[in-house]
PDB file of all heavy atoms in Angstrom:
ATOM      1  N   GLY Z  58     126.620 110.995 120.713  1.00  0.00           N
ATOM      2  CA  GLY Z  58     126.829 110.229 121.926  1.00  0.00           C
ATOM      3  C   GLY Z  58     125.688 109.293 122.268  1.00  0.00           C
ATOM      4  O   GLY Z  58     125.788 108.526 123.222  1.00  0.00           O
ATOM      5  N   HIS Z  64     112.248 103.025 114.113  1.00  0.00           N
ATOM      6  CA  HIS Z  64     111.287 102.150 113.444  1.00  0.00           C
ATOM      7  C   HIS Z  64     110.069 103.009 113.153  1.00  0.00           C
ATOM      8  O   HIS Z  64     109.595 103.744 114.025  1.00  0.00           O
ATOM      9  CB  HIS Z  64     110.915 100.976 114.348  1.00  0.00           C
ATOM     10  CG  HIS Z  64     109.788 100.151 113.840  1.00  0.00           C
ATOM     11  ND1 HIS Z  64     109.923  99.254 112.814  1.00  0.00           N
ATOM     12  CD2 HIS Z  64     108.486 100.075 114.225  1.00  0.00           C
ATOM     13  CE1 HIS Z  64     108.766  98.660 112.580  1.00  0.00           C
ATOM     14  NE2 HIS Z  64     107.880  99.150 113.430  1.00  0.00           N
ATOM     15  N   THR Z  65     109.537 102.940 111.937  1.00  0.00           N
ATOM     16  CA  THR Z  65     108.435 103.809 111.531  1.00  0.00           C
ATOM     17  C   THR Z  65     107.280 102.979 110.993  1.00  0.00           C
ATOM     18  O   THR Z  65     107.487 102.014 110.258  1.00  0.00           O
ATOM     19  CB  THR Z  65     108.887 104.794 110.429  1.00  0.00           C
ATOM     20  OG1 THR Z  65     110.029 105.514 110.876  1.00  0.00           O
ATOM     21  CG2 THR Z  65     107.781 105.782 110.093  1.00  0.00           C
ATOM     22  N   ARG Z  82     112.127 102.110 107.627  1.00  0.00           N
ATOM     23  CA  ARG Z  82     113.200 102.879 108.261  1.00  0.00           C
ATOM     24  C   ARG Z  82     113.648 102.247 109.574  1.00  0.00           C
ATOM     25  O   ARG Z  82     113.778 102.918 110.598  1.00  0.00           O
ATOM     26  CB  ARG Z  82     112.765 104.331 108.487  1.00  0.00           C
ATOM     27  CG  ARG Z  82     112.271 105.018 107.224  1.00  0.00           C
ATOM     28  CD  ARG Z  82     112.038 106.509 107.442  1.00  0.00           C
ATOM     29  NE  ARG Z  82     111.236 107.068 106.373  1.00  0.00           N
ATOM     30  CZ  ARG Z  82     109.994 107.531 106.511  1.00  0.00           C
ATOM     31  NH1 ARG Z  82     109.430 107.532 107.700  1.00  0.00           N
ATOM     32  NH2 ARG Z  82     109.343 108.011 105.483  1.00  0.00           N
ATOM     33  N   THR Z 116      96.582  94.515 106.307  1.00  0.00           N
ATOM     34  CA  THR Z 116      97.899  93.945 106.020  1.00  0.00           C
ATOM     35  C   THR Z 116      98.994  94.942 106.377  1.00  0.00           C
ATOM     36  O   THR Z 116      98.877  96.133 106.084  1.00  0.00           O
ATOM     37  CB  THR Z 116      98.018  93.582 104.525  1.00  0.00           C
ATOM     38  OG1 THR Z 116      97.013  92.626 104.201  1.00  0.00           O
ATOM     39  CG2 THR Z 116      99.392  93.007 104.200  1.00  0.00           C
ATOM     40  N   GLY Z 129     132.382 100.089 105.549  1.00  0.00           N
ATOM     41  CA  GLY Z 129     131.784 101.347 105.979  1.00  0.00           C
ATOM     42  C   GLY Z 129     130.280 101.398 105.893  1.00  0.00           C
ATOM     43  O   GLY Z 129     129.675 102.399 106.273  1.00  0.00           O
ATOM     44  N   PRO Z 186      91.308  81.169  89.497  1.00  0.00           N
ATOM     45  CA  PRO Z 186      92.586  81.101  88.788  1.00  0.00           C
ATOM     46  C   PRO Z 186      93.318  82.441  88.788  1.00  0.00           C
ATOM     47  O   PRO Z 186      92.735  83.503  89.027  1.00  0.00           O
ATOM     48  CB  PRO Z 186      92.172  80.710  87.359  1.00  0.00           C
ATOM     49  CG  PRO Z 186      90.784  80.171  87.473  1.00  0.00           C
ATOM     50  CD  PRO Z 186      90.162  80.883  88.615  1.00  0.00           C
ATOM     51  N   PRO Z 236     114.535 110.453  93.002  1.00  0.00           N
ATOM     52  CA  PRO Z 236     115.473 109.582  92.282  1.00  0.00           C
ATOM     53  C   PRO Z 236     115.977 108.428  93.132  1.00  0.00           C
ATOM     54  O   PRO Z 236     116.726 107.596  92.643  1.00  0.00           O
ATOM     55  CB  PRO Z 236     116.614 110.538  91.920  1.00  0.00           C
ATOM     56  CG  PRO Z 236     116.586 111.590  92.989  1.00  0.00           C
ATOM     57  CD  PRO Z 236     115.140 111.774  93.327  1.00  0.00           C
ATOM     58  N   ALA Z 257     104.549 104.148  81.673  1.00  0.00           N
ATOM     59  CA  ALA Z 257     105.549 104.042  80.603  1.00  0.00           C
ATOM     60  C   ALA Z 257     106.596 105.146  80.671  1.00  0.00           C
ATOM     61  O   ALA Z 257     107.737 104.944  80.240  1.00  0.00           O
ATOM     62  CB  ALA Z 257     104.856 104.069  79.247  1.00  0.00           C
ATOM     63  N   ARG Z 301      84.718  93.058 106.476  1.00  0.00           N
ATOM     64  CA  ARG Z 301      84.222  94.303 105.882  1.00  0.00           C
ATOM     65  C   ARG Z 301      84.062  95.389 106.944  1.00  0.00           C
ATOM     66  O   ARG Z 301      83.725  95.108 108.092  1.00  0.00           O
ATOM     67  CB  ARG Z 301      82.881  94.068 105.187  1.00  0.00           C
ATOM     68  CG  ARG Z 301      82.963  93.152 103.979  1.00  0.00           C
ATOM     69  CD  ARG Z 301      81.605  93.031 103.317  1.00  0.00           C
ATOM     70  NE  ARG Z 301      81.642  92.160 102.163  1.00  0.00           N
ATOM     71  CZ  ARG Z 301      81.956  92.566 100.929  1.00  0.00           C
ATOM     72  NH1 ARG Z 301      82.244  93.832 100.717  1.00  0.00           N
ATOM     73  NH2 ARG Z 301      81.974  91.704  99.927  1.00  0.00           N
ATOM     74  N   ASP Z 339     113.817  72.981  97.995  1.00  0.00           N
ATOM     75  CA  ASP Z 339     113.576  72.949  96.554  1.00  0.00           C
ATOM     76  C   ASP Z 339     112.845  74.206  96.089  1.00  0.00           C
ATOM     77  O   ASP Z 339     113.154  74.765  95.029  1.00  0.00           O
ATOM     78  CB  ASP Z 339     112.760  71.703  96.185  1.00  0.00           C
ATOM     79  CG  ASP Z 339     113.568  70.414  96.310  1.00  0.00           C
ATOM     80  OD1 ASP Z 339     114.813  70.505  96.338  1.00  0.00           O
ATOM     81  OD2 ASP Z 339     112.950  69.335  96.383  1.00  0.00           O
ATOM     82  N   PHE Z 352     118.246  89.456  88.137  1.00  0.00           N
ATOM     83  CA  PHE Z 352     119.410  90.292  88.428  1.00  0.00           C
ATOM     84  C   PHE Z 352     120.314  90.443  87.221  1.00  0.00           C
ATOM     85  O   PHE Z 352     120.864  91.521  86.975  1.00  0.00           O
ATOM     86  CB  PHE Z 352     120.194  89.723  89.612  1.00  0.00           C
ATOM     87  CG  PHE Z 352     119.707  90.215  90.934  1.00  0.00           C
ATOM     88  CD1 PHE Z 352     118.847  89.450  91.699  1.00  0.00           C
ATOM     89  CD2 PHE Z 352     120.086  91.455  91.404  1.00  0.00           C
ATOM     90  CE1 PHE Z 352     118.379  89.900  92.919  1.00  0.00           C
ATOM     91  CE2 PHE Z 352     119.628  91.926  92.626  1.00  0.00           C
ATOM     92  CZ  PHE Z 352     118.774  91.141  93.382  1.00  0.00           C
TER      93      PHE Z 352
END
Side-chain angles (χ1 to χ4, degrees):
H64 171 76
T65 305
R82 306 188 196 112
T116 300
R301 294 183 180 273
D339 289 342
F352 272 98

